[in-house]
Amino acid sequence: EIHLLDTNRGATLETIITRFRQLLPKCQVIALSATVPNAKEIADWLSAELVESDWRPTKLVKGVYHDSIIETEDETIEVSSKAKTPVLRLVADTIARGGQSLVFVNTRKSAVAEARRIAATLDLKNDDLAEKILSALETPTRQCKELAEIVRKGAAFHTAALVAEQRKLIENAFREGRIKAIAATPTLAMGVNTPADTVIVRDLLRYTENGLTPISVREYLQMCGRAGRPNYGKDGLAVCIAKGLEDKDTFMSEYVMGKPEKVYSRLGFEPVLRTQLLASIAVGFTPSRKKLDEFLMNSFYAFQYGEIDTISRKAETILHELESWGFITMGDSLMPTPLGRRVAELYLDPFSAFVMLKAMRERQMAEVGILYMLTATDELRPYLRARSGEESSLWSHAYSNEKALGIDCVNVGFEDYNFLDKYKTTLLLRDWVEEIHEDAIIEKYGVAPGILRAKLSNWKWIAYAAIELAKLEHLPLKELRKVERRIKYGVKGELLPLVELKNIGRVRARKLFGASLKTIPDLEKAPASDLARVLGPRVAESVKKQLGEEVQLSTPTSSQSKL
């Protein structure tokens, strides 16, 4: 998917392609995209033959909806439904034709609201699917319950706020026809195989740092590309919604008839270039400045802009940074240090690694200090936003923890304008390891389950990386290891022995602890019937088996009886 060159993953893709082409000059590269206007430029960079085709397994018709009419390039289509909103009319019209719809909106909140409105018009009986949605988490959250009720009726919302298992269930149910409409944020348009009969692009504006901003034509086309179901031989219909005649004309000329934007190299973005340069040096791909220049000369950046002076100057600055941080040595050759090689293997931003190493070398940190150190890395962006009404209490809280944090809050406040955002994000992590219920964390910090899970996954990775760096530098590991395990399981230190057992999460472990079953020896001594009263018979059997004792507490199934 060659248009990914112009995304936040673009520099990595460009680097990989450049390496392949240098190491394996006869290697064939197949670059695919439906949304690249400068395909000839990219083909020339790849020394590839450009093959263009307008063939599509199903015909795609794009148009603009206004006042019960869809206007396309070639015709007008009347929408007969009289439902309350344009989205509901288009969804109802599609269902009446035996089809399914994807509705793209610009926020997670809008996706939930739109799915709720659609579900209110349906009456399917997806009870088993709803139960699977509920059981995706050990304890269902408020969002899980809302999603389950919407899915039960035949609709769904699909956003980054969902956990992976829920997204998978929804996508599979949509392909099977059990869900008639999904309201989604644009992430569903990228690489997820969920084709629909009708794609409805409700929002062509997106909230950015500059306020509401029009989306790119390329993004619009990616969403439209979800329309059309080859296995069913139906044409795909992609519709954007205009509120007035002026919008209708604008959307028709700029999006329906518009051309996608050119793809540009992202290699010149400094944080990305920093990571890629260390990786190239670490694997021996650029063992000298000459080889580094050759690599830059063969990049899409150099091909597109016709010079490497700008990026060479950036690279030189980065090389000196990497040397000062102890990650490479520079002389006649560019060599990674053992520390630099490990940073590259962990795929850390070298600056994040430097910040963590500096903290571990120089600061005496208690638990909250370690949590803050892990959070204050680029890998944990975007941080939670500290709202204006919270700033005073956050500063007060930070000052009260100054010693445990191992920092000078006054200096940090002047040096890092993101400090309060990082600190608020740290407090979320602290609540997690203090066993605050997921629902309470979601409510308190305004995060969704999927976002929380994604951040916890990143925290686990960064904690592991910090341990690996500390090993190489012979730095204290005891507290770091303990924090890493607490992040993994979301528990206080007293529960760590229990959660190492399979099927024992933070909720069951706390139940055991409350029943005075606090250690592995306690569990070994306890009668299986006592464990069953706390955990249920099947989990109690599993625990006893893990401890080397075979017991039978649950009622055997018919197949077990035969055995």
Side-chain angles (χ1 to χ4, degrees):
E1 302 235 2
I2 202 66
H3 52 264
L4 293 179
L5 283 171
D6 203 357
T7 68
N8 56 3
R9 292 178 284 175
T12 303
L13 178 59
E14 182 176 341
T15 299
I16 291 168
I17 293 172
T18 305
R19 287 182 193 168
F20 266 123
R21 294 183 64 236
Q22 284 188 260
L23 293 170
L24 303 167
K26 294 184 179 180
C27 170
Q28 286 185 304
V29 178
I30 301 175
L32 305 175
S33 183
T35 57
V36 174
N38 55 327
K40 181 67 168 64
E41 182 180 35
I42 296 173
D44 289 345
W45 169 56
L46 295 172
S47 301
E49 178 187 354
L50 177 61
V51 179
E52 295 180 284
S53 171
D54 59 4
W55 177 86
R56 197 176 189 269
T58 57
K59 182 182 176 183
L60 176 61
V61 178
K62 303 191 296 292
V64 181
Y65 172 90
H66 174 64
D67 198 19
S68 295
I69 296 292
I70 300 171
E71 184 179 324
T72 74
E73 296 178 55
D74 303 317
E75 61 179 328
T76 58
I77 303 169
E78 187 173 346
V79 176
S80 58
S81 170
K82 303 301 180 186
K84 290 182 179 179
T85 69
V87 168
L88 293 179
R89 288 172 209 149
L90 289 164
V91 169
D93 196 65
T94 302
I95 292 173
R97 291 185 280 107
Q100 295 166 276
S101 303
L102 284 178
V103 184
F104 287 107
V105 295
N106 58 11
T107 66
R108 294 194 296 270
K109 187 175 179 181
S110 292
V112 175
E114 203 65 74
R116 194 187 302 121
R117 283 191 287 270
I118 295 168
T121 69
L122 305 175
D123 192 26
L124 272 69
K125 298 287 190 292
N126 287 326
D127 293 336
D128 59 330
L129 181 59
E131 290 307 310
K132 290 177 182 177
I133 293 287
L134 279 175
S135 61
L137 294 175
E138 185 178 4
T139 305
T141 64
R142 185 178 305 167
Q143 179 183 267
C144 293
K145 295 171 185 174
E146 182 169 32
L147 177 61
E149 285 310 304
I150 291 171
V151 165
R152 195 183 305 275
K153 294 180 179 181
F157 55 89
H158 186 296
T159 72
L162 304 184
V163 296
E165 180 62 23
Q166 289 171 335
R167 289 198 296 270
K168 184 178 177 182
L169 286 167
I170 289 167
E171 290 162 16
N172 288 340
F174 188 78
R175 293 186 198 106
E176 293 164 4
R178 300 180 66 190
I179 289 176
K180 296 301 179 185
I182 296 176
T185 47
T187 50
L188 184 59
M190 298 296 288
V192 181
N193 184 24
T194 47
D197 298 276
T198 303
V199 163
I200 302 160
V201 183
R202 195 196 75 175
D203 301 322
L204 288 170
L205 297 174
R206 168 125 353 104
Y207 290 99
T208 68
E209 294 176 355
N210 302 315
L212 273 174
T213 306
I215 67 171
S216 67
V217 177
R218 191 187 312 139
E219 188 172 338
Y220 159 78
L221 291 173
Q222 288 292 331
M223 290 188 274
C224 292
R226 299 298 100 197
R229 307 186 69 199
N231 294 337
Y232 296 86
K234 294 182 179 178
D235 293 346
L237 176 63
V239 185
C240 53
I241 297 173
K243 293 180 180 178
L245 290 173
E246 186 177 342
D247 279 349
K248 188 190 77 168
D249 293 340
T250 300
F251 294 169
M252 182 62 74
S253 62
E254 294 187 8
Y255 287 99
V256 175
M257 310 284 287
K259 291 186 177 180
E261 299 79 6
K262 285 181 64 174
V263 168
Y264 289 96
S265 169
R266 293 288 190 96
L267 192 60
F269 186 48
E270 202 160 307
V272 177
L273 185 59
R274 184 166 56 217
T275 302
Q276 297 302 329
L277 284 185
L278 179 59
S280 290
I281 294 168
V283 298
F285 186 70
T286 52
S288 66
R289 280 181 169 80
K290 181 182 177 182
K291 288 292 183 182
L292 177 58
D293 283 341
E294 285 178 15
F295 165 70
L296 294 175
M297 279 295 297
N298 281 283
S299 69
F300 183 49
Y301 180 98
F303 185 88
Q304 191 164 48
Y305 294 105
E307 54 87 27
I308 64 165
D309 289 349
T310 303
I311 200 169
S312 290
R313 286 194 295 271
K314 287 182 182 179
E316 189 66 25
T317 300
I318 289 168
L319 290 177
H320 286 287
E321 281 181 338
L322 295 174
E323 184 181 45
S324 69
W325 297 341
F327 297 159
I328 66 169
T329 59
M330 292 200 301
D332 293 335
S333 59
L334 300 174
M335 297 292 292
T337 64
L339 187 59
R341 183 176 288 110
R342 194 70 186 110
V343 170
E345 288 168 350
L346 292 165
Y347 206 68
L348 281 174
D349 182 333
F351 183 69
S352 294
F354 164 70
V355 167
M356 288 197 294
L357 283 164
K358 190 172 188 294
M360 289 188 287
R361 288 166 181 156
E362 298 177 0
R363 300 199 317 240
Q364 293 295 317
M365 294 177 290
E367 174 195 291
V368 71
I370 295 173
L371 298 179
Y372 175 77
M373 176 192 76
L374 301 175
T375 302
T377 55
D378 279 355
E379 285 77 4
L380 263 297
R381 291 178 182 273
Y383 309 117
L384 301 182
R385 182 66 61 86
R387 303 182 188 281
S388 56
E390 301 173 316
E391 290 180 356
S392 177
S393 60
L394 284 171
W395 275 119
S396 177
H397 198 283
Y399 276 114
S400 68
N401 274 310
E402 194 171 38
K403 186 174 181 182
L405 286 166
I407 61 175
D408 183 334
C409 285
V410 173
N411 287 340
V412 170
F414 279 113
E415 294 168 1
D416 185 357
Y417 67 90
N418 284 320
F419 171 70
L420 283 186
D421 295 347
K422 293 175 182 176
Y423 188 65
K424 180 179 178 179
T425 311
T426 301
L427 295 182
L428 181 153
L429 180 57
R430 186 207 57 181
D431 283 357
W432 169 255
V433 299
E434 287 296 313
E435 296 178 46
I436 302 300
H437 193 278
E438 248 180 273
D439 245 352
I441 292 175
I442 288 164
E443 184 71 26
K444 180 178 178 181
Y445 295 97
V447 296
I451 302 297
L452 176 59
R453 292 284 165 166
K455 285 201 173 296
L456 289 171
S457 177
N458 277 349
W459 267 311
K460 284 186 276 188
W461 161 42
I462 296 299
Y464 168 77
I467 289 170
E468 291 297 294
L469 299 178
K471 281 182 192 174
L472 278 176
E473 293 292 283
H474 306 291
L475 297 168
L477 284 168
K478 184 179 178 182
E479 282 304 309
L480 197 54
R481 287 186 190 278
K482 184 178 178 181
V483 166
E484 188 257 349
R485 290 172 67 218
R486 288 184 63 192
I487 292 171
K488 180 178 179 180
Y489 296 110
V491 296
K492 296 178 181 178
E494 62 198 20
L495 295 189
L496 285 174
L498 300 176
V499 290
E500 297 286 356
L501 292 166
K502 186 180 178 183
N503 297 323
I504 302 299
R506 65 202 308 242
V507 175
R508 286 175 176 154
R510 182 50 63 190
K511 286 181 179 177
L512 288 171
F513 198 88
S516 296
L517 299 167
K518 302 179 178 181
T519 64
I520 297 299
D522 289 342
L523 298 179
E524 289 173 333
K525 293 173 189 173
S529 57
D530 287 357
L531 288 185
R533 277 193 288 273
V534 179
L535 302 173
R538 288 190 182 279
V539 178
E541 284 177 8
S542 170
V543 168
K544 279 296 188 182
K545 186 175 182 179
Q546 291 174 70
L547 299 175
E549 183 181 347
E550 293 284 349
V551 296
Q552 180 67 58
L553 297 170
S554 57
T555 304
T557 63
S558 57
S559 60
Q560 287 173 322
S561 316
K562 289 175 184 175
L563 289 172

